[in-house]
Amino acid sequence: MRSIPVLPGLLAAALALPVALAAQAADASTTATTATAPVVNVERLDYGLRARALAPGAWVVEGANADFTVPNGCNIINTGFFSTGAGVVVVNTGTSRKYGEQLRALIARTTAEPVVQVIHLNLHPDYFLGNQGFADVPRLATPATRAGMAREAEAYATNLYRLCGDWMKATEPLLPDRDLDVPAAGRRWQVGSREFELHELQGHTDSDLVLIDRASGTAFVGGLVFTDRIPTTPHARIAPWLASLDRLPALLQAAGVRTVVPSHGPVRGDLQGLAQTQRFLQWLDASFTRWAREGWDMNEVLRAPVPAEFRGWAAFQTEYIRNVAHLYPRYEREVLTAGRTTGR
Amino acid sequence: MKTSSSLRWTWLLGLALAALAVQAAPPAKPAAAAKAPTAAAAATTAAADPYEGDPFKSLPWGDMRREYLGGERAVFDERVTVRGPAFAEDPMNVPVTVSVQGLEGIERIVILVDRNPIRRVLEYQPMAALPAVSFRFKLEQASPVRAAVRTRDGLWHVGGTWVDSAGGGCTVSGATRKDGSWTQTLGLVSGKVFDGAPAASSAATPVPGAARLRLRVMHPMDTGLVGGIPAFYVNKLSVRDEADRELLRLATYEPVSENPVFSFDFPARPTGSLRIVGTDNNGNRIDARLD
């Protein structure tokens, strides 16, 4: 018996979920340890991408659970692909032109089907800067994600060239070219023999797509869930994010999901990653609220004690600095009161 | 081999530049005559070390000392602490906290950034406040960030930290400039006095009964380095108590962040309401009362 982490909010969902994810929970740790870490060759700019089958016709391509560095090729994202009988659907395209091209080659080595669709789960750079490898394929994203990518693409590219150097060679943002409209109740998306289920949630960004494949019991949950890693927050709003995490378990359960693929951190056979992200966001929200009320400056927040659990997660050293820079100003504004303008 | 010879050339070049700088120094003005020995001492140091003892070995330092510290003698002093993040996640808003421990007779604190196109960020006269200030500023590229503290004896005590940056902080418009909303909020002040020094206080030594003032002033703080947008920034701020006694005084410059938030610490909570007065470089007045 392996217990699924139970927290307020998750409690009800977890109790309602024993079959859906707990049946798979026994090999949850196996799922994590058998992750096929890429073997990066910096000299040859070879990401060493590997496809790991999660179920027949469903593959994940795992990145390092870390921050962007030259030695890991700045490959920190989990992408994936599905064969459908009518061609391959690719979920996110990685950080660079080279990543996109190497992913395309990997898909060609793995399945005989041609690539027919690309889908982007949110607006962040490692979800679409590999699009040059899929220039001939329709590329779908929600309208909010498309608008966000158009707004931020140049800044992303500049920043990643600086952080990743040669890995970014010849990368130019190529945006998605088709709208994917997802009603509030979610939608079905049929490609060949596979019927995907799509849900547009929010909070990590303004549009966080969750893609579920019932046939394989696989969910790509994008940036809503970080496993063993500090969440990234450049476009985050905590309250809607927590609301999305409250909603997610029921959606996964209803679809019979057995494998949860976060964009960052290990693939899990349970809701561990979801509970971790929820714990972190709740701690952040409560702490920032308290510190702002006590008058702390941003530099003091940067140096405040952080629970050992979070300090042990990947990218803590860099990502927490970013969390504070992105989110703390909103909390401090809340507590300042307007002055009375006096005689002019 | 290659590395060491190029290093040597850099060093020689630095030496030559330093020698030139010494020769180019203007003749001492009458007012500075009394400080001749000090100036000579500084010149000697410069000739021996192009960095004048700067722990960051930053070539602009000598020029900065001449331009912003009146060419007066400066020592690198661990009692002056500058804290910032290891890297600037948002180069438009880099948090910096300056605090001074165990120095008496502090007149003012000048915050300088070597590799910014505009190097002087802020000058602070603590007056009735503790010698500690926090705020956010715009960083154009990775740079030393320094605080120079002048004591009554005419000596500057300098501390600093290094902040890495992706760049672009000074040459990009702020959010309220981009969307035009700054006209609705120009000069508005908000703030609050907090009892006690926060647990991770920037105050030198947490003082029982201490208080912190946090202050936000709405202003686009345009650097003048974005095409077609001239420099437009708050240049003076002062906090007064109910008896109109001046508690602290600030001169702020272009690199201070848009809609800046400042933290100041006081040995005791100021009584009654506070008045915040100031101007920007276009002559707009800031005048608000915090109850």
Side-chain angles (χ1 to χ4, degrees):
Chain A
M1 275 298 282
R2 188 192 173 88
S3 65
I4 292 173
V6 172
L7 278 168
L10 189 62
L11 178 62
L15 289 176
L17 263 184
V19 184
L21 299 192
Q24 185 76 5
D27 50 38
S29 56
T30 324
T31 309
T33 50
T34 52
T36 45
V39 181
V40 180
N41 186 321
V42 180
E43 298 271 293
R44 296 205 318 267
L45 297 178
D46 182 350
Y47 289 99
L49 301 180
R50 298 188 201 179
R52 180 160 70 91
L54 299 170
W59 291 272
V60 63
V61 183
E62 290 154 309
N65 186 15
D67 197 7
F68 293 125
T69 66
V70 171
N72 68 27
C74 284
N75 172 19
I76 62 169
I77 190 169
N78 302 326
T79 59
F81 56 96
F82 293 89
S83 63
T84 67
V88 171
V89 171
V90 179
V91 185
N92 299 328
T93 61
T95 40
S96 69
R97 175 182 191 141
K98 279 186 194 303
Y99 185 105
E101 289 168 351
Q102 292 177 23
L103 176 61
R104 187 84 184 252
L106 173 70
I107 295 168
R109 291 198 300 275
T110 310
T111 162
E113 293 185 21
V115 177
V116 293
Q117 298 277 0
V118 165
I119 184 167
H120 303 293
L121 301 185
N122 73 36
L123 80 169
H124 286 153
D126 41 0
Y127 289 57
F128 75 100
L129 284 181
N131 277 5
Q132 283 160 296
F134 301 90
D136 57 331
V137 179
R139 301 174 303 276
L140 288 83
T142 63
T145 290
R146 289 185 69 188
M149 284 176 175
R151 197 173 59 235
E152 310 258 6
E154 286 306 321
Y156 288 156
T158 305
N159 195 34
L160 286 180
Y161 269 91
R162 174 181 172 272
L163 287 170
C164 315
D166 283 353
W167 288 103
M168 298 302 293
K169 270 183 193 166
T171 302
E172 285 172 31
L174 177 66
L175 300 174
D177 57 0
R178 251 153 257 210
D179 272 347
L180 184 69
D181 290 303
V182 183
R187 68 170 271 189
R188 301 293 169 94
W189 180 42
Q190 189 80 38
V191 184
S193 61
R194 229 176 258 273
E195 188 186 58
F196 296 102
E197 199 180 304
L198 295 167
H199 297 279
E200 186 181 14
L201 305 180
Q202 53 177 307
H204 172 63
T205 71
D206 285 342
S207 171
D208 297 303
L209 213 51
V210 171
L211 177 139
I212 297 170
D213 171 47
R214 284 174 180 254
S216 63
T218 307
F220 279 77
V221 294
L224 289 171
V225 173
F226 285 74
T227 312
D228 303 335
R229 193 200 192 276
I230 302 291
T232 64
T233 52
H235 301 95
R237 288 174 301 132
I238 303 295
W241 192 343
L242 284 170
S244 292
L245 291 178
D246 279 342
R247 226 187 117 193
L248 195 51
L251 296 176
L252 301 181
Q253 178 211 17
V257 169
R258 295 183 300 277
T259 306
V260 179
V261 184
S263 285
H264 302 283
V267 174
R268 300 281 311 194
D270 57 20
L271 294 176
Q272 180 75 29
L274 193 152
Q276 286 180 337
T277 305
Q278 201 168 35
R279 272 203 298 280
F280 181 78
L281 296 177
Q282 283 165 343
W283 171 80
L284 202 79
D285 186 50
S287 304
F288 283 12
T289 301
R290 189 173 74 247
W291 295 334
R293 285 183 186 152
E294 290 175 3
W296 290 31
D297 198 88
M298 194 186 268
N299 260 316
E300 290 153 350
V301 174
L302 283 173
R303 286 159 179 77
V306 175
E309 181 193 7
F310 308 144
R311 279 188 276 117
W313 292 352
F316 169 73
Q317 292 296 339
T318 45
E319 210 64 58
Y320 180 65
I321 295 180
R322 297 189 184 117
N323 296 152
V324 174
H326 300 149
L327 302 173
Y328 190 64
R330 294 179 213 165
Y331 291 84
E332 62 182 14
R333 279 202 292 274
E334 288 280 307
V335 302
L336 302 182
T337 51
R340 272 188 299 123
T341 304
T342 54
R344 292 213 166 178
Chain B
M1 203 53 203
K2 198 174 173 186
T3 312
S4 71
S5 86
S6 72
L7 269 178
R8 195 175 309 132
W9 277 113
T10 312
W11 183 80
L12 280 172
L13 181 65
L15 199 65
L17 285 173
L20 277 174
V22 170
Q23 283 180 351
K29 293 175 205 144
K35 288 173 188 151
T38 308
T44 311
T45 316
D49 170 13
Y51 306 109
E52 302 187 357
D54 174 20
F56 296 110
K57 298 200 182 307
S58 166
L59 279 170
W61 169 245
D63 286 338
M64 290 164 62
R65 185 180 61 78
R66 281 180 283 278
E67 187 172 351
Y68 302 110
L69 309 185
E72 294 178 327
R73 203 156 65 89
V75 293
F76 294 93
D77 192 331
E78 288 181 354
R79 289 173 292 185
V80 179
T81 314
V82 180
R83 288 185 295 179
F87 63 92
E89 167 57 15
D90 177 2
M92 311 273 291
N93 289 285
V94 180
V96 61
T97 295
V98 174
S99 61
V100 186
Q101 241 163 340
L103 263 182
E104 296 298 322
I106 293 169
E107 287 182 337
R108 61 196 166 110
I109 302 173
V110 181
I111 290 148
L112 301 170
V113 177
D114 295 34
R115 298 191 189 173
N116 255 8
I118 301 166
R119 287 176 176 150
R120 183 164 46 183
V121 181
L122 175 145
E123 287 190 24
Y124 176 44
Q125 291 173 255
M127 304 173 88
L130 295 170
V133 60
S134 300
F135 62 99
R136 300 195 272 274
F137 72 99
K138 292 169 277 207
L139 181 63
E140 183 63 18
Q141 58 180 317
S143 176
V145 177
R146 309 181 190 263
V149 179
R150 191 179 197 272
T151 42
R152 249 180 248 124
D153 56 8
L155 185 61
W156 289 92
H157 306 260
V158 184
T161 189
W162 178 273
V163 181
D164 194 8
S165 174
C170 291
T171 47
V172 186
S173 302
T176 63
R177 168 62 71 187
K178 274 187 203 149
D179 68 15
S181 64
W182 65 272
T183 55
Q184 308 303 311
T185 54
L186 186 74
L188 292 182
V189 174
S190 54
K192 189 177 169 70
V193 179
F194 300 87
D195 277 317
S201 174
S202 62
T205 333
V207 182
R212 167 169 292 183
L213 169 64
R214 303 204 75 206
L215 207 58
R216 183 177 194 227
V217 182
M218 299 302 287
H219 204 285
M221 300 299 288
D222 295 310
T223 58
L225 302 175
V226 181
I229 305 171
F232 181 42
Y233 58 96
V234 174
N235 57 3
K236 283 179 195 152
L237 273 181
S238 155
V239 175
R240 293 163 183 275
D241 69 8
E242 219 161 32
D244 206 33
R245 190 173 66 112
E246 193 170 20
L247 301 180
L248 64 88
R249 190 185 296 175
L250 278 183
T252 48
Y253 298 91
E254 297 93 322
V256 170
S257 292
E258 176 188 27
N259 304 329
V261 179
F262 302 96
S263 300
F264 307 105
D265 291 327
F266 292 91
R269 188 183 175 101
T271 51
S273 68
L274 294 176
R275 188 174 165 215
I276 290 86
V277 291
T279 57
D280 68 22
N281 68 327
N282 281 14
N284 294 303
R285 297 289 176 89
I286 294 158
D287 194 341
R289 203 173 277 282
L290 286 177
D291 296 310

